[in-house]
Amino acid sequence: MTQKNSHLPYWKTADHLFGCYGAIIFCVLALIQVIPLGWFGCSVLGYILGRLIYFVLLQLHTQPIYNPITPPKHITPQATRLARPSVKESISPEQKLLNEFLKLQFQVRDLLPATANAKFQDIHALIVVLIQKFKRTQDINTQNEILKIQTIINNYLAPTIKNYQELPVLFLDRKMNNEHSPNDLMEQQLDLIHHELLEITQYIFQNDFDKLVMHGEFLQQKLKPPVFFKVGQALSVPQES
């Protein structure tokens, strides 16, 4: 519904037409004797009510369906703060060394015989015992010695396992010149590591730090990586002390 236009003549405006419609309706009602008024009274009353109805409809039409709520102009929108990504906790040095050991163990798990894999598991269990001691003790020297022992074992196993993996699989069980197979030599090295770790663990839980340092130095000397499984070179077996 539109408002009346000022350029139209009065008798063509919408409010006048609504008034005329109202007057006609009221005259019809007077004709059928619904309204007990004369023709003039019905015409005036209908005209007034028609214009009033037009005015009400015009007001209803011009009202907005909803009033959007706008924020006050003096309030500045705040930028959304993005959550900072959580910083991953750094891996402790003893756990990092254990992870390196587990990687070495995994590399040859499918190549070694069951007895050698069982020995690997025993070594792993002893390293876990050392790590538990590392976490419980407040003695910096003991902690450093445990890290040192873990490092020596990893540094010893890494080249040994690398040389072992370079051999063809069909030769792993074959006896060499000194009547030992690569599997035999790997198991001997694992036996040596296990024996030394077992001794060290006993000293740790006896709180004998002097013996721990002595055994750590002995282990470092005894586990110097030999050259294993190189073509054209004799294989050597570590001598029992």
Side-chain angles (χ1 to χ4, degrees), residues 55-209:
F55 177 78
V56 172
L57 293 176
L58 182 64
Q59 294 299 317
L60 292 176
H61 181 73
T62 55
Q63 290 294 326
I65 298 176
Y66 68 96
N67 291 322
I69 300 175
T70 56
K73 294 183 179 180
H74 64 278
I75 297 179
T76 304
Q78 296 294 327
T80 304
R81 293 183 179 181
L82 300 177
R84 294 182 179 179
S86 57
V87 180
K88 294 183 178 179
E89 294 183 0
S90 57
I91 301 177
S92 58
E94 75 280 2
Q95 185 62 47
K96 182 178 179 181
L97 290 170
L98 176 60
N99 292 344
E100 293 175 0
F101 172 84
L102 293 176
K103 289 179 182 178
L104 294 172
Q105 182 181 3
F106 179 79
Q107 289 176 13
V108 291
R109 183 182 60 182
D110 296 332
L111 296 176
L112 291 175
T115 53
N117 276 320
K119 192 62 64 176
F120 241 126
Q121 286 298 112
D122 293 340
I123 295 172
H124 177 208
L126 290 174
I127 293 176
V128 171
V129 172
L130 289 176
I131 291 176
Q132 291 173 348
K133 178 66 175 180
F134 179 95
K135 293 179 179 179
R136 287 195 299 265
T137 185
Q138 299 298 322
D139 185 8
I140 301 299
N141 292 327
T142 301
Q143 290 180 341
N144 290 337
E145 285 301 317
I146 291 174
L147 294 178
K148 178 181 177 182
I149 290 168
Q150 284 186 263
T151 303
I152 292 170
I153 292 174
N154 289 352
N155 291 343
Y156 173 73
L157 283 174
T160 302
I161 289 176
K162 179 178 181 298
N163 292 331
Y164 177 80
Q165 288 179 296
E166 290 177 354
L167 288 173
V169 177
L170 58 91
F171 287 128
L172 295 181
D173 279 329
R174 182 167 297 186
K175 304 294 182 181
M176 299 297 180
N177 295 336
N178 57 357
E179 299 182 354
H180 289 89
S181 69
N183 282 342
D184 293 336
L185 292 176
M186 279 297 300
E187 193 162 351
Q188 288 176 7
Q189 304 310 310
L190 293 174
D191 279 335
L192 174 62
I193 295 173
H194 178 260
H195 174 74
E196 296 301 325
L197 266 181
L198 187 60
E199 292 291 327
I200 290 172
T201 305
Q202 291 175 352
Y203 289 138
I204 285 178
F205 285 92
Q206 292 171 0
N207 293 321
D208 190 343
F209 177 72

Side-chain angles (χ1 to χ4, degrees), residues 221-241:
Q221 294 296 325
K222 197 167 187 179
L223 295 186
K224 288 183 178 179
V227 181
F228 281 121
F229 318 134
K230 292 299 183 180
V231 178
Q233 296 184 8
L235 298 176
S236 61
V237 180
Q239 298 297 325
E240 295 294 332
S241 59

Side-chain angles (χ1 to χ4, degrees), residues 2-4 14-15 18 50-58:
T2 59
Q3 296 180 355
K4 60 183 181 180
D15 54 346
F18 264 76
R51 290 177 64 93
L52 180 62
I53 291 174
Y54 170 79
F55 177 78
V56 172
L57 293 176
L58 182 64

